[in-house]
Amino acid sequence: MPRTARRAQLLEVALEVFVEQGYHSASMDEIADRAGVSKPVLYQHFPGKLDLYLALLETSCDTVIEGVKDALASTHDNRKRVEATMGLWYDYVADQGAAFRLVFESDLTSDPAVREQVDRVVEESAALVAEVISEDTGLPPAASHLLAVSLVGMGHVGARNWLSHDSSLSRSEAVQLVSSLAWRGIGGFPRNEDDTVQDKPIQGVE
């Protein structure tokens, strides 16, 4: 198997083991066994268990951040941007539940390298959202960042709660509900036009 394909396979197997057992209980022996490779082959790709975990965590975090970027770029209508971004979080926890648990429910968050990756998801996602808020409202960076972090928190915390409590709401119902709440807040800020804040709401308010 080509090296890149083998690495992808090992990451996929490792994800299953880490999510099932947690970092501390998972073993490189079991990961190698499930992948059908020897331990020396596994160690050729990843020098140790923490290296494997961090590689997997980094990949999962990158997936989320790229998803936020794509959601924001999918439209110029800010109301639809809010819905697309909220939808991203619900898609992530529903369709990639295992990877989501690795990022947000890790049993190794006391490790600085792990904590850095987990924090990176929120910070880089918020930075992307803050850029849009700042451009469209003319709010200063600190204000834009705070609003963005709040929106990101609303997205991933709400989605995690929706999944863990086996909500009777469908994915689309949950996204619509939370998106409406988010838009009623952020949509009330006046939109910046030609560097002058005009007394009209951000694009998309009905």
Side-chain angles (χ1 to χ4, degrees):
M1 183 181 292
R3 183 174 179 82
T4 54
R6 175 66 73 190
R7 178 183 172 86
Q9 180 216 12
L10 293 173
L11 287 172
E12 183 178 352
V13 172
L15 174 61
E16 296 175 0
V17 176
F18 281 131
V19 170
E20 287 176 11
Q21 303 179 14
Y23 175 82
H24 295 292
S25 298
S27 70
M28 294 292 271
D29 289 295
E30 180 164 0
I31 293 170
D33 185 60
R34 287 201 196 184
V37 301
S38 64
K39 281 185 67 178
V41 170
L42 178 57
Y43 282 112
Q44 285 175 8
H45 291 269
F46 305 100
K49 185 168 73 168
L50 182 58
D51 299 285
L52 174 55
Y53 189 85
L54 288 172
L56 186 57
L57 187 60
E58 182 177 9
T59 299
S60 299
C61 291
D62 287 342
T63 298
V64 177
I65 294 166
E66 286 301 312
V68 172
K69 188 181 298 183
D70 291 343
L72 293 172
S74 65
T75 177
H76 292 295
D77 185 307
N78 285 320
R79 186 168 193 167
K80 292 179 180 178
R81 274 176 169 163
V82 169
E83 186 169 350
T85 304
M86 291 300 168
L88 174 278
W89 294 107
Y90 284 80
D91 286 342
Y92 184 63
V93 302
D95 299 337
Q96 300 189 50
F100 139 75
R101 289 185 173 90
L102 185 76
V103 175
F104 290 109
E105 298 177 2
S106 171
D107 62 347
L108 196 63
T109 51
S110 59
D111 185 280
V114 173
R115 185 72 255 169
E116 181 181 354
Q117 286 296 323
V118 174
D119 290 343
R120 183 170 70 90
V121 174
V122 175
E123 286 302 317
E124 292 194 19
S125 296
L128 293 167
V129 175
E131 183 177 355
V132 174
I133 293 174
S134 180
E135 289 177 354
D136 282 2
T137 66
L139 288 171
S144 297
H145 180 263
L146 180 58
L147 290 173
V149 169
S150 300
L151 289 171
V152 168
M154 184 184 296
H156 80 76
V157 173
R160 290 160 58 194
N161 182 274
W162 169 77
L163 182 68
S164 64
H165 286 76
D166 193 23
S167 175
S168 60
L169 293 171
S170 68
R171 179 263 180 203
S172 60
E173 289 172 333
V175 170
Q176 186 58 50
L177 192 65
V178 176
S179 297
S180 295
L181 174 62
W183 180 250
R184 285 180 182 274
I186 196 65
F189 286 88
R191 182 163 185 169
N192 187 33
E193 297 288 355
D194 297 325
D195 297 325
T196 302
V197 175
Q198 302 295 322
D199 187 19
K200 68 175 185 178
I202 302 175
Q203 177 183 350
V205 170
E206 298 178 352

